Amino acid sequence: MIEPALFALVTGNAGVAALIATRMYPEVLPQAPTYPAITYTVVTGESHYAMQAPSGLARIRVQFDLFTQRKADGVALEKAFMAAVSGFRGTVGSPPVQIQGAFRVMEVNAFQSDLDKAGPKVRRKTIDFEIWHRESYT
């Protein structure tokens, strides 16, 4: 399962952890979140096959959303996040997942208007990554 490995990869980085601690959530933010925070969604995935059997290699596309209230926090979080994820190659998580490579494929900046009704505007940076990893079904 890749999701625990993604969580470990991002929150295990000292720069990211200093900003969000463990405020990284699957798909949606909790009610009344503390910022900065990150959400992640596995958007697509595919397994690769050789002529005889599965190759054990898989590719997923993951959308990470970085939420902050101040521009300076957004810049700091993006720098730390990119240092942790972009180009990563190695083994992370429990159970361990071998990541062959993590590559940024898209990004968007926006205000998150549905989150600003009770307070300051919330900034949202969306960064999509294509992540190649080894699959294990055991």
Side-chain angles (χ1 to χ4, degrees), residues 1-37:
M1 192 107 191
I2 189 73
E3 287 86 355
L6 296 174
F7 184 86
L9 173 62
V10 176
T11 63
N13 176 277
V16 175
L19 297 167
I20 69 164
T22 58
R23 292 187 305 273
M24 184 167 151
Y25 309 100
E27 299 177 5
V28 297
L29 292 170
Q31 284 276 356
T34 299
Y35 299 105

Side-chain angles (χ1 to χ4, degrees), residues 23 33 41 51 53 60 68 79 81 87-89 91 93-94 119 125 131:
R23 292 187 305 273
T41 304
M51 294 300 283
I60 59 170
T68 60
K79 285 176 85 172
F81 174 82
F88 179 82
R89 181 182 174 103
T91 302
S94 180
K125 173 80 173 205
I131 298 176

Side-chain angles (χ1 to χ4, degrees), residues 2-133:
I2 189 73
E3 287 86 355
L6 296 174
F7 184 86
L9 173 62
V10 176
T11 63
N13 176 277
V16 175
L19 297 167
I20 69 164
T22 58
R23 292 187 305 273
M24 184 167 151
Y25 309 100
E27 299 177 5
V28 297
L29 292 170
Q31 284 276 356
T34 299
Y35 299 105
I38 297 175
T39 61
Y40 64 96
T41 304
V42 177
V43 179
T44 61
E46 62 183 46
S47 297
H48 287 263
Y49 293 85
M51 294 300 283
Q52 301 294 323
S55 70
L57 188 61
R59 178 179 63 174
I60 59 170
R61 185 167 179 154
V62 183
Q63 177 179 314
F64 294 95
D65 293 300
L66 288 58
F67 295 93
T68 60
Q69 290 180 312
R70 298 181 321 130
K71 184 171 180 85
D73 292 341
V75 169
L77 182 56
E78 180 182 357
K79 285 176 85 172
F81 174 82
M82 291 301 290
V85 180
S86 186
F88 179 82
R89 181 182 174 103
T91 302
V92 292
S94 180
V97 173
Q98 183 184 15
I99 293 177
Q100 301 290 316
F103 311 101
R104 178 177 56 183
V105 293
M106 190 271 311
E107 63 180 78
V108 176
N109 289 307
F111 281 107
Q112 189 65 32
S113 60
D114 60 330
L115 297 176
D116 67 359
K117 292 178 177 55
K121 293 209 178 291
V122 175
R123 297 172 179 275
R124 175 182 179 181
K125 173 80 173 205
T126 298
I127 306 173
D128 281 19
F129 271 84
E130 188 172 89
I131 298 176
W132 289 83
H133 65 97

